[in-house]
Amino acid sequence: MDTKSFVLKGNVCYNTTPQEVTCVPSGYAVCVDGVSAGVFAELPEEFAALPLIDCGDNLIIPGMSDIHIHAPQYAFRGLGMDLELLDWLNTHTFPEEAHYADLDYAGRAYDIFADDLRRSATTRAVVFGTLHVEATELLMDKLEASGITSYVGKVNMDRNGCVDLEEDTAQSAADTRRWLADVDGRYDHTAPIITPRFTPSVTDELMGELASIRDEFGLPVQSHLSENPSECGWVKELCPWSSCYGDAYDRFGMLGDRTVMAHCVYSDENETELLRSTGTYVAHCPQSNAQLSSGIAPVRRYLDLGMKVGLGTDVAGGASLSMFRCMADAVAVSKLRWRLVDDGLAPLTTQEALWLATVGGGSFFGRVGSLAEGYEFDALVLDDSAIRTPRVLDVWERVERYVYLAEEGGRLVRKFVSGREIDLS
């Protein structure tokens, strides 16, 4: 479709608050110049001349934002899931990422990643690359061609890597500047993000250099925080001056409302307040946290405090690109935390999981994640007709069911990002 102004007709569902959804059966979702003009039970006359896409009995929901994913790890998803985080990094992750010095290998791997992401329910993503400049630029080229909107980071790590995956401090900073110069003005839908891998792999000197580069170029930041008990203990040894793991970033000004910190499973009251007061985003990665034996993040506490929270598949710690699987896992692990760890934190509802996948993570990109008026028009058209039942379900029940059964019988029919239709063929 070559227009960014049109109307989708179908069964529309989107969040109005974290706890509430609006459902409009046989409704009209209106897109004008890539922005939502609202959802209506009857199409207003002022939009009657726009092209109408009749989606029949299909569901229409907002697009989903995956705010923590590692593109080079996609090649070994599903492997090493019986290991804990640090062993998994040394056994699988670092050796795999070293392969991306070979551009031929990187090209083949990123072709698969970008193609599968294009066909998924993800409309926007915050992505880790590797420390290699040329491979990271290749990844950005392929994501741009996919049509989705993304932030992509050249990883920085000048300690505790491996022989083939560790940078000289000065060279890491210089390569980051070279990368930013190379990609300046090159893309419409893909942008750079500063990416210190995590404190154990970034010296204070390099963290300071990255903070200066971030300020100079006005860029967002992504990294990891308080994912695993061993990692947290390691940070105390490496940064004895810090009051908490988060302080190891905050001392360099790396937290804030343009920063995503993945995991935050073990953030204590001090660190939680630091994240809340700075407006830092938390990327909740439930499947990864379970499979790498990390734990269960207190997402209910973060939501109750009004913090900014979204979801991340964290491939390959998480084995699936599916944001629906991510939503289902978020609800499931919150129940386990409530039952086994802290019965004062109520489990998440599916409505809240939808919020996290759409508005929660989408807001990192701006006014994104809803079909309400004024939001960028990111939308998914879903066919659930193959998920059979003798029951008559309302729109919300169908969406709720899709979250859990998407891979059993769901089908993504159409996908839009800022009003641009993405080719799913």
Side-chain angles (χ1 to χ4, degrees):
M1 203 170 57
D2 58 1
T3 178
K4 293 175 69 176
S5 297
F6 55 89
V7 179
L8 297 182
K9 184 179 188 297
N11 298 297
V12 185
C13 178
Y14 60 98
N15 283 87
T16 47
T17 72
Q19 294 77 32
E20 299 173 324
V21 293
T22 290
C23 295
V24 184
S26 299
Y28 299 85
V30 180
C31 177
V32 177
D33 293 330
V35 176
S36 176
V39 176
F40 308 92
E42 300 292 336
L43 185 64
E45 182 62 31
E46 63 184 296
F47 304 123
L50 293 178
L52 176 68
I53 302 171
D54 190 343
C55 301
D57 194 42
N58 289 336
L59 299 166
I60 301 170
I61 68 170
M64 297 183 174
S65 293
D66 184 343
I67 63 169
H68 184 67
I69 184 169
H70 294 260
Q73 296 177 18
Y74 193 65
F76 72 90
R77 66 198 185 283
L79 300 177
M81 295 291 91
D82 52 352
L83 298 175
E84 196 173 349
L85 173 65
L86 298 182
D87 289 339
W88 177 81
L89 287 172
N90 290 319
T91 303
H92 288 281
T93 301
F94 292 165
E96 173 63 26
E97 291 190 13
H99 291 322
Y100 288 75
D102 177 352
L103 275 184
D104 179 65
Y105 183 85
R108 288 184 284 119
Y110 286 151
D111 274 340
I112 295 169
F113 172 75
D115 190 52
D116 286 357
L117 194 64
R118 174 178 60 85
R119 298 167 188 266
S120 77
T122 300
T123 49
R124 300 182 186 237
V126 183
V127 185
F128 273 62
T130 64
L131 56 80
H132 311 97
V133 171
E134 289 76 14
T136 302
E137 292 179 13
L138 188 61
L139 171 61
M140 296 176 80
D141 291 345
K142 293 181 185 301
L143 287 175
E144 178 74 11
S146 78
I148 72 163
T149 294
S150 64
Y151 285 109
V152 178
K154 175 223 168 298
V155 169
N156 298 95
M157 49 189 300
D158 65 338
R159 66 178 174 187
N160 295 319
C162 63
V163 64
D164 295 317
L165 199 75
E166 189 174 293
E167 302 170 295
D168 170 79
T169 301
Q171 192 63 52
S172 180
D175 283 351
T176 300
R177 290 180 179 278
R178 176 166 65 88
W179 163 60
L180 293 173
D182 287 349
V183 301
D184 183 40
R186 185 158 148 183
Y187 307 110
D188 294 324
H189 313 299
T190 311
I193 183 169
I194 296 297
T195 307
R197 182 175 212 109
F198 65 160
T199 295
S201 66
V202 179
T203 62
D204 292 351
E205 182 182 355
L206 180 55
M207 196 74 78
E209 287 289 336
L210 294 176
S212 296
I213 293 170
R214 179 216 51 201
D215 290 343
E216 179 182 343
F217 290 87
L219 297 176
V221 175
Q222 63 176 344
S223 196
H224 300 83
L225 178 64
S226 296
E227 179 178 0
N228 175 280
S230 299
E231 170 207 17
C232 293
W234 197 8
V235 171
K236 285 183 180 179
E237 294 176 4
L238 293 168
C239 304
W241 48 263
S242 62
S243 61
C244 61
Y245 191 164
D247 187 37
Y249 294 106
D250 192 50
R251 291 285 182 97
F252 299 95
M254 297 293 263
L255 300 184
D257 61 4
R258 298 194 70 207
T259 295
V260 175
M261 284 289 162
H263 307 300
C264 304
V265 176
Y266 294 98
S267 298
D268 60 15
E269 289 187 11
N270 180 29
E271 186 166 281
T272 298
E273 175 55 24
L274 188 58
L275 295 171
R276 187 204 64 78
S277 63
T278 57
T280 300
Y281 279 79
V282 174
H284 178 40
C285 306
Q287 187 182 144
S288 172
N289 294 160
Q291 291 181 156
L292 298 181
S293 305
S294 295
I296 306 169
V299 175
R300 166 64 61 206
R301 180 183 303 143
Y302 299 153
L303 289 177
D304 288 349
L305 289 171
M307 294 168 61
K308 297 172 180 177
V309 187
L311 294 180
T313 60
D314 194 25
V315 167
S320 172
L321 281 180
S322 172
M323 289 297 290
F324 295 109
R325 168 69 188 272
C326 195
M327 291 166 60
D329 286 342
V331 174
V333 300
S334 74
K335 291 179 179 179
L336 291 175
R337 185 178 177 97
W338 168 72
R339 176 63 70 191
L340 301 175
V341 181
D342 185 353
D343 62 8
L345 293 180
L348 296 177
T349 65
T350 310
Q351 289 92 336
E352 288 171 320
L354 181 62
W355 170 274
L356 293 173
T358 57
V359 183
S363 62
F364 188 70
F365 293 86
R367 197 161 170 76
V368 171
S370 175
L371 296 174
E373 183 179 3
Y375 281 78
E376 292 188 52
F377 197 89
D378 291 12
L380 306 173
V381 180
L382 309 173
D383 179 358
D384 66 338
S385 61
I387 308 174
R388 301 190 296 170
T389 179
R391 299 182 60 176
V392 176
L393 305 176
D394 63 28
V395 173
W396 169 248
E397 289 173 324
R398 290 172 61 188
V399 172
E400 181 179 24
R401 182 182 68 157
Y402 199 99
V403 170
Y404 289 89
L405 302 177
E407 295 170 14
E408 178 179 310
R411 185 170 70 92
L412 178 62
V413 178
R414 304 184 87 145
K415 173 175 171 177
F416 300 86
V417 183
S418 295
R420 296 175 289 106
E421 184 162 16
I422 304 301
D423 179 9
L424 298 177
S425 61

